[in-house]
Amino acid sequence: MSLLREMIKEEWRMHSELFGGRNFALFPLVVLAASAFLVASSFYTGFTVGQIEYGILALLFFLGLNVGSIGFISRDRAENLIGENNLLIYSSRTLPIQQRKIVSVFILKDLLYYSALFVAPLTLGLLSVNYFTSYAVSKVLMAWVAGSGMFMLGVSMSLAFASLYNLGVNYLLGFSIPLAGAIYYSSMGLMELTPLGFFSNPGISSFITGFLPFSLLALYSVAIFRPSSGRKSRTSEDKFHEVHDLLGYDKTGIVSKSVIQLLRSSGGVIKIFFSFGLIYAFYVFMMSQIPFLTAGTAAPGLVVALILSIASLSTYNWITLNDRPSTYTKFPVEMHEVFDAKLSLYLTVSVPVAWAFIAANTYIYGADGAIVGALSLPSISVYLVGVTAYLSGLEPNEMLFDAWKFTIFMFSAGAVLVPMFVAGLLYHLAPAVVSIGFLSFSLIIGLAGFHIFHEAARKWERENR
C-alpha cells in the first residue's frame, strides 16, 4: 500500500508541476464541463445516446493506449520528456522490490488515478443528456465501470506490446500473429471481448468475457515487462550547415536547428505520423459506429479536415519539445523570429502529413468535400496553433492540464470548429453553398490565426524581457 500511495503522489506531483501547479486540481471540473457540453451538442446535432456512449468509451481506450505507452519510453527518453524525475517504475535496481510488483502497482495506480480524475468526470458528462431525454444515473455508473475497463485495456495493450518490443521482434511477432488469428477465427465478436460488450449487454457472463481478456493481458504485461535500457551514448556529424543550405530560406538558423532536433529525437518523424494515425484511428472507429456520417448528408472530407487540424497540434508540441522562450534570450534573435520559424516548420511538416491522411480518407469514404477540406486545413491549423501559442508560448504541454488555459482553448476552438462540423454534416443539403462558406470561413479564421500568432510572439517577448 505504501508503494501505491507513493506512486499516486508521484503522478499527482508530476502533473501539477508540469501542468499549471494548483490549477491542475481544477482539471477534472474542466473535463466534466467539456464532456457535458460535447455530449449535449452531439445529441443536439443528431447523434444518438448509444453513439455518444460508444464514442466516450472508445476515447478512453485510446487515452489508455497513450498512457500505457510509457513502457516504450526508456529512462533517458522519459527524462527528456518530463525532466529529471526518478520514476518509481524504473526503480527496481535501487529499491528492494521486485520488478513485477512495481509494475503491478503501477497498473493499479493508473486504474485508480485515472478512473477518479479523468474517467469519472468524462462519463458524468452523460448526465447532460437529461436536458433532452431521461438518462438514469445507473447508466452513468455502468459507463464509468466500462470506461475504466476500456482505459485499462488500452494501458495493458500498450504495456504488453512495449514489453514484447523490448524483448525482441521475434517475441512481438510470436505473440501478435497467433493473437490476430485467434481473434479472426473466433466465433465471438471482437467487441464482446472488451468492456464494451459488458456495457452493451450487462450481466455476469458479459462481465467475465468483457473484463477477463484484458485482465489476463495485464498479468501477462506484468510477467514480461522489461523497461527499455535506453540509448547508448552516441555522436553525430555536424548536419547544421547541410540542412541550412538545403532549406535556403532559414536566415536565423532556427528552422534548421528545429529540424535536426526533430530528426534526432526518439522516433524521429515517425512519431508525427503516429500522432496523426492515433487520432485518425479513433475517427475511423467513430465512422464505423455512426452510419449517418458516411451514408447521410455529411461530407467525410470536411469532417476529417477538422479532425486532422486538431491532430496537427501534436506537431507543434514535437517541434517545441526542447524549447523555452528564455533559451533564445541569449542569442541575437527577436522572439517574433523564433515564433515565425516555428510556424513555418509547423506548416511544412504537419500539412503534408494531414493531406496524406485526407487522401487515404478519400479512398476509404469517398471524395465528398475532400478538396475543400484539404484547402481549408492549413487555415484551420493556423488558427488552432495561434490560440495555442498565445496561451502557452513554446510549451503547449503545459496548457493541456492547466484548467484555466484549457478552458479558454476549448471555447476558442469550439467557437469555430462546432459550426464548421455542423456545416460538414449538412453538406449534401447544399454542396456549393456549404463548400464556399466552409472555405471562406476557414480563410477568415486563418488570417485571425496569423494575427493571434504574431500577438503571441509579442506577449512572450514582453514576459521574457
Side-chain angles (χ1 to χ4, degrees):
M1 289 299 293
S2 59
L3 181 59
L4 176 63
R5 184 173 60 250
E6 294 304 319
M7 277 195 171
I8 292 176
K9 190 184 296 183
E10 176 188 70
E11 194 83 3
W12 176 269
R13 282 179 176 170
M14 187 172 68
H15 280 141
S16 59
E17 288 176 6
L18 284 172
F19 308 122
R22 294 179 180 177
N23 282 341
F24 175 68
L26 300 174
F27 188 71
L29 295 178
V30 176
V31 173
L32 173 59
S35 175
F37 172 76
L38 291 174
V39 167
S41 58
S42 299
F43 189 84
Y44 184 76
T45 52
F47 289 81
T48 66
V49 174
Q51 290 165 347
I52 296 170
E53 291 170 338
Y54 272 55
I56 290 177
L57 297 182
L59 176 63
L60 287 169
F61 169 69
F62 284 100
L63 286 176
L65 282 178
N66 188 48
V67 170
S69 64
I70 191 171
F72 284 104
I73 302 173
S74 61
R75 180 197 296 267
D76 61 331
R77 295 175 192 176
E79 287 181 358
N80 287 340
L81 182 65
I82 61 179
E84 295 182 356
N85 290 279
N86 187 24
L87 297 178
L88 288 170
I89 193 173
Y90 297 125
S91 302
S92 60
R93 293 181 181 177
T94 55
L95 293 177
I97 305 174
Q98 291 182 340
Q99 178 71 54
R100 291 177 181 176
K101 182 176 180 180
I102 293 177
V103 178
S104 302
V105 176
F106 175 81
I107 292 176
L108 180 60
K109 178 268 299 177
D110 272 355
L111 174 62
L112 297 176
Y113 185 85
Y114 289 97
S115 293
L117 289 184
F118 294 89
V119 182
L122 200 59
T123 51
L124 278 172
L126 287 167
L127 286 174
S128 64
V129 173
N130 278 301
Y131 183 78
F132 306 97
T133 184
S134 61
Y135 193 82
V137 175
S138 59
K139 285 284 287 181
V140 176
L141 182 60
M142 288 285 295
W144 178 65
V145 172
S148 300
M150 290 297 291
F151 178 81
M152 290 312 301
L153 174 64
V155 171
S156 302
M157 284 185 65
S158 277
L159 279 177
F161 282 103
S163 300
L164 291 164
Y165 175 78
N166 290 333
L167 288 173
V169 177
N170 293 337
Y171 287 88
L172 184 61
L173 295 178
F175 178 82
S176 304
I177 294 176
L179 177 65
I183 292 173
Y184 183 79
Y185 289 105
S186 172
S187 58
M188 300 183 67
L190 184 60
M191 294 300 171
E192 295 177 47
L193 299 175
T194 72
L196 269 176
F198 166 71
F199 184 74
S200 303
N201 184 27
I204 295 177
S205 61
S206 63
F207 182 84
I208 294 173
T209 55
F211 283 77
L212 184 61
F214 91 77
S215 300
L216 294 175
L217 190 63
L219 292 175
Y220 181 67
S221 305
V222 171
I224 65 171
F225 181 78
R226 299 287 186 277
S228 173
S229 57
R231 295 172 297 182
K232 297 178 180 178
S233 60
R234 60 176 183 172
T235 57
S236 301
E237 295 180 6
D238 179 11
K239 295 287 185 181
F240 179 82
H241 295 289
E242 183 179 335
V243 174
H244 188 261
D245 293 340
L246 184 65
L247 292 175
Y249 66 92
D250 183 25
K251 294 181 180 177
T252 61
I254 297 172
V255 175
S256 305
K257 165 183 166 294
S258 300
V259 169
I260 293 172
Q261 286 178 333
L262 177 64
L263 294 175
R264 291 179 177 174
S265 62
S266 302
V269 294
I270 295 177
K271 58 175 174 278
I272 303 290
F273 286 91
F274 180 78
S275 301
F276 273 90
L278 202 59
I279 295 178
Y280 186 73
F282 175 69
Y283 161 80
V284 170
F285 174 80
M286 293 304 297
M287 292 288 279
S288 69
Q289 299 297 314
I290 306 174
F292 75 80
L293 281 178
T294 53
T297 60
L302 299 184
V303 175
V304 78
L306 299 173
I307 301 293
L308 294 173
S309 297
I310 298 171
S312 67
L313 286 177
S314 63
T315 304
Y316 184 66
N317 177 50
W318 292 123
I319 65 174
T320 56
L321 194 59
N322 299 304
D323 289 311
R324 298 289 183 277
S326 57
T327 305
Y328 294 94
T329 56
K330 56 189 174 187
F331 296 120
V333 293
E334 300 292 336
M335 193 54 67
H336 70 85
E337 293 177 308
V338 177
F339 275 77
D340 288 345
K342 294 296 179 183
L343 180 60
S344 64
L345 180 59
Y346 165 76
L347 291 174
T348 302
V349 174
S350 67
V351 171
V353 176
W355 280 346
F357 278 93
I358 288 180
N361 190 71
T362 302
Y363 177 77
I364 298 171
Y365 298 111
D368 289 344
I371 295 176
V372 174
L375 293 175
S376 302
L377 183 137
S379 299
I380 304 169
S381 299
V382 168
Y383 173 79
L384 293 177
V385 79
V387 175
T388 302
Y390 190 85
L391 292 172
S392 61
L394 299 177
E395 298 167 282
N397 261 336
E398 288 192 0
M399 183 186 72
L400 186 59
F401 294 106
D402 185 305
W404 179 240
K405 290 181 180 178
F406 187 72
T407 301
I408 295 175
F409 176 80
M410 285 293 292
F411 279 100
S412 302
V416 300
L417 295 183
V418 172
M420 297 181 82
F421 181 71
V422 173
L425 295 181
L426 303 177
Y427 173 79
H428 280 292
L429 296 180
V433 174
V434 171
S435 296
I436 294 172
F438 196 93
L439 187 58
S440 302
F441 187 65
S442 68
L443 291 175
I444 293 171
I445 64 171
L447 292 174
F450 275 115
H451 177 71
I452 296 171
F453 200 89
H454 289 144
E455 287 299 315
R458 294 178 184 176
K459 172 188 173 183
W460 292 102
E461 191 168 44
R462 289 194 299 270
E463 296 200 4
N464 289 278
R465 187 169 292 166

